[in-house]
């Protein structure tokens, strides 16, 4: 390949490079060596990763599930696509960064002691990265930590350990945060249920008072038993009254009107009739405190059954609420980890950057191109001049 030609000379590209090979080798060698040396001087970055299993959902029903639906994001269901963004937001929040700083005392760390608190929070938050696998629901928390320029061996070791510590601290702080929120939810649910129990207790007392007042006003002890007894008594008196009526009619056929026997039958018939009427209207005597007028039994039965129904419903609701309250109290008191750690973050063995081999190869290619361009440009300029 001819690079250029004229009437006096003709030079190929390979001949030109061969002619200027010393410059090419020197330029590429110096540049590559400088980049290689720079890779030892520049900050080194180390990363550590922890993996988390998707935590089990807290299952609860009734009022507790209703209250939880009003406070989404308190558990961390990584497997739920809807809540994956919520979990990432929690991990990358300022609140979690503050907890990490407090737990690791980063504000006292030599590398961060001179940094403003807000800047330190931002640095910790930006050092974290979250990835959630949609298929398995496994979440990966990654932290990258960098040294300063011209790092010493001690600084490198401290940075490696710091990357691991921040990642593991993020996991533990996340677990504490979610546990506190779960406890807070259980506490709010329990307090709400306690308020409902108090309201229902007042309603139940009102029902008890209404039943007691109803029993006093209508002389009711056991409505079904009392009604059965009154009906039995009325039937017995009614049978006697029917027999007496037959005997009275027979006596009127056998004896003269106004005779003493007929008067006795008529008197007994009137007595039985009065007793029969009294039995149906509220008792045989004025002092009877347990007889109920039969014509009022349907209305009284309806009202009494309604009161008993309200009482049973209130008692069942109270039993249900007491069960829910016990469940929330247990949930509030339990101390079970929310986060299930699949792999803890190890101290990294290799650095993430700089990649010295890649940097050296790229530098060699780059400086080779620059050297070639310089040789061609300078040679063309020399020939033209």
């Amino acid at each position: 390949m001819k690079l250029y030609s004229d009437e006096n000379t003709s030079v190929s590209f390979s001949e030109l490079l061969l002619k200027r090979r010393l410059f090419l080798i020197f330029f590429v060698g110096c540049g590559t060596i400088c980049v290689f040396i720079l890779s030892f001087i520049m900050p080194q970055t180390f990363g550590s990763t922890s993996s988390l299993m998707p935590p089990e959902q807290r299952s609860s029903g009734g009022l507790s599930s209703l209250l939880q639906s009003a406070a989404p994001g308190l558990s961390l269901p990584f497997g739920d696509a809807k809540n994956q963004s919520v979990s990432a937001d929690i991990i990358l929040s300022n609140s979690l960064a503050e907890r990490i700083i407090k737990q690791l005392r980063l504000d006292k760390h030599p590398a961060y002691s001179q940094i403003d608190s807000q800047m330190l929070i931002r640095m910790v938050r930006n050092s974290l990265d979250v990835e959630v696998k949609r298929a398995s629901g496994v979440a990966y928390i990654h932290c990258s930590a960098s040294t300063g320029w011209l790092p010493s061996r001690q600084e490198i070791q401290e940075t490696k350990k710091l990357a691991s510590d921040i990642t593991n601290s993020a996991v533990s702080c996340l677990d504490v945060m979610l546990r506190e929120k779960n406890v807070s939810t259980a506490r709010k649910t329990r307090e709400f249920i306690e308020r409902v129990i108090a309201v229902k207790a007042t309603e139940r007392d009102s029902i008890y008072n209404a039943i007691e007042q109803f029993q006093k006003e209508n002389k009711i002890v056991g409505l079904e038993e009392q009604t059965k007894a009154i009906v039995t008594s009325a039937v017995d008196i009614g049978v006697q009254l029917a027999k007496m009526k037959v005997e009275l009619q027979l006596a009127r056929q056998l004896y003269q009107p106004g005779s003493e026997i007929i008067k006795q039958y008529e008197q007994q018939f009137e007595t039985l009739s009065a007793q029969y009427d009294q039995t149906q209207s509220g008792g045989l005597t004025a002092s009877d405190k347990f007889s109920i007028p039969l014509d009022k039994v349907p209305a009284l039965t309806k009202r009494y059954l309604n009161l008993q129904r309200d009482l049973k419903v209130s008692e069942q609701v109270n039993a249900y609420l007491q069960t829910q309250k016990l469940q929330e109290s247990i949930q509030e008191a339990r101390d079970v980890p929310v986060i299930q750690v699949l792999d803890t973050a190890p101290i990294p063995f290799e650095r993430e950057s700089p990649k010295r081999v890649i940097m050296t190869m790229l530098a060699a290619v780059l400086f080779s191109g620059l050297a070639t361009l310089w040789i061609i440009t300078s040679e063309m300029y020399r020939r033209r001049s």
Side-chain angles (χ1 to χ4, degrees), residues 175-385:
D175 180 74
V176 172
M177 284 181 61
L178 296 179
R179 203 180 308 176
E180 288 177 354
K181 289 185 178 182
N182 283 345
V183 170
S184 176
T185 301
R187 183 182 300 111
K188 290 179 181 178
T189 306
R190 176 183 57 78
E191 291 173 352
F192 172 75
I193 293 175
E194 287 176 347
R195 291 194 295 269
V196 176
I197 289 176
V199 172
K200 292 300 180 181
T202 302
E203 294 179 358
R204 193 164 56 257
D205 290 341
S206 300
I207 296 174
Y208 280 127
N209 293 333
I211 292 176
E212 182 181 357
Q213 187 67 25
F214 176 81
Q215 290 176 326
K216 288 181 179 179
E217 291 177 354
N218 299 282
K219 300 182 293 185
I220 291 180
V221 177
L223 184 59
E224 184 177 353
E225 290 77 7
Q226 287 178 261
T227 303
K228 184 177 180 180
I230 293 171
V231 170
T232 301
S233 177
V235 169
D236 292 341
I237 296 176
V239 171
Q240 295 180 22
L241 181 62
K243 290 180 180 179
M244 183 56 63
K245 185 176 182 180
V246 173
E247 293 177 359
L248 177 59
Q249 291 175 352
L250 182 60
R252 285 175 177 173
Q253 294 179 5
L254 298 177
Y255 300 100
Q256 293 293 329
S259 65
E260 193 65 28
I261 294 178
I262 292 178
K263 290 181 180 180
Q264 290 179 358
Y265 277 111
E266 289 178 344
Q267 185 178 3
Q268 292 178 5
F269 180 78
E270 292 176 357
T271 301
L272 288 173
S273 297
Q275 289 179 351
Y276 185 72
D277 293 339
Q278 289 175 355
T279 301
Q280 298 183 72
S281 60
L284 295 176
T285 63
S287 60
D288 192 345
K289 296 182 179 180
F290 300 101
S291 295
I292 307 170
L294 290 179
D295 57 343
K296 295 183 179 181
V297 168
L300 293 176
T301 300
K302 181 179 179 180
R303 185 180 175 190
Y304 186 72
L305 291 178
N306 287 338
L307 290 173
Q308 290 294 332
R309 178 201 61 197
D310 294 342
L311 179 60
K312 289 182 179 180
V313 169
S314 180
E315 289 175 345
Q316 291 179 0
V317 170
N318 179 67
Y320 169 74
L321 291 174
Q322 292 293 348
T323 302
Q324 291 295 315
K325 177 185 174 182
L326 178 60
Q327 291 179 358
E328 298 304 326
S329 298
I330 294 174
Q331 180 67 24
E332 183 181 356
R334 67 188 302 187
D335 188 21
V336 179
V338 177
I339 298 299
Q340 303 181 50
V341 181
L342 184 61
D343 294 312
T344 57
I347 296 178
F349 178 73
E350 297 181 351
R351 59 186 172 276
E352 291 183 343
S353 66
K355 301 291 186 181
R356 293 195 178 114
V357 176
I358 296 177
M359 286 183 62
T360 303
M361 294 175 62
L362 290 177
V365 173
L366 176 62
F367 283 105
S368 296
L370 291 176
T372 301
L373 181 62
W374 173 263
I375 292 171
I376 294 174
T377 303
S378 63
E379 185 67 20
M380 293 178 66
Y381 179 78
R382 187 180 66 81
R383 289 291 181 178
R384 288 179 182 178
S385 62

Side-chain angles (χ1 to χ4, degrees), residues 16-242:
L16 181 60
L17 293 181
L18 184 61
K19 179 182 178 181
R20 303 291 299 272
R21 63 182 180 277
L22 293 179
F23 170 79
L24 180 63
I25 295 173
F26 177 78
F27 187 84
V28 173
C30 289
T32 304
I33 292 173
C34 289
V35 172
F36 184 72
I37 294 174
L38 179 64
S39 67
F40 284 91
I41 299 175
M42 66 185 301
Q44 299 184 26
T45 302
F46 297 90
S48 184
T49 303
S50 176
S51 58
L52 310 176
M53 289 290 291
E56 296 180 357
Q57 286 269 22
R58 178 190 168 198
S59 59
S60 57
L63 293 173
S64 56
S65 63
L66 179 64
L67 203 68
Q68 278 193 352
S69 65
L74 299 186
S75 59
L76 195 63
F78 290 115
D80 188 357
K82 179 179 178 182
N83 290 318
Q84 286 175 358
S85 60
V86 176
S87 66
D89 289 341
I90 294 176
I91 295 172
L92 301 179
S93 64
N94 288 339
S95 177
L96 184 64
E98 291 176 356
R99 288 173 179 264
I100 294 173
I101 293 171
K102 184 177 181 180
Q103 186 180 74
L104 298 179
R105 300 176 63 86
L106 293 181
D107 53 339
K108 307 297 183 182
H109 194 278
Y112 305 110
S113 59
Q114 303 299 324
I115 299 177
D116 178 73
S117 60
Q118 293 300 320
M119 179 63 69
L120 181 56
I121 291 173
R122 192 177 302 114
M123 289 177 60
V124 172
R125 186 186 63 192
N126 293 338
S127 68
L128 294 173
D129 187 33
V130 183
E131 181 184 4
V132 181
K133 300 295 183 181
R134 291 183 177 273
S136 62
V138 176
Y140 296 91
I141 301 179
H142 179 81
C143 175
S144 298
S146 300
T147 65
W149 287 86
L150 194 59
S152 63
R153 184 179 298 274
Q154 180 181 355
E155 184 180 359
I156 291 175
Q157 294 301 323
E158 290 177 352
T159 304
K160 288 181 179 180
K161 187 175 185 303
L162 184 63
S164 173
D165 290 344
I166 290 178
T167 306
N168 291 323
S169 177
V171 173
S172 63
C173 290
L174 178 63
D175 180 74
V176 172
M177 284 181 61
L178 296 179
R179 203 180 308 176
E180 288 177 354
K181 289 185 178 182
N182 283 345
V183 170
S184 176
T185 301
R187 183 182 300 111
K188 290 179 181 178
T189 306
R190 176 183 57 78
E191 291 173 352
F192 172 75
I193 293 175
E194 287 176 347
R195 291 194 295 269
V196 176
I197 289 176
V199 172
K200 292 300 180 181
T202 302
E203 294 179 358
R204 193 164 56 257
D205 290 341
S206 300
I207 296 174
Y208 280 127
N209 293 333
I211 292 176
E212 182 181 357
Q213 187 67 25
F214 176 81
Q215 290 176 326
K216 288 181 179 179
E217 291 177 354
N218 299 282
K219 300 182 293 185
I220 291 180
V221 177
L223 184 59
E224 184 177 353
E225 290 77 7
Q226 287 178 261
T227 303
K228 184 177 180 180
I230 293 171
V231 170
T232 301
S233 177
V235 169
D236 292 341
I237 296 176
V239 171
Q240 295 180 22
L241 181 62

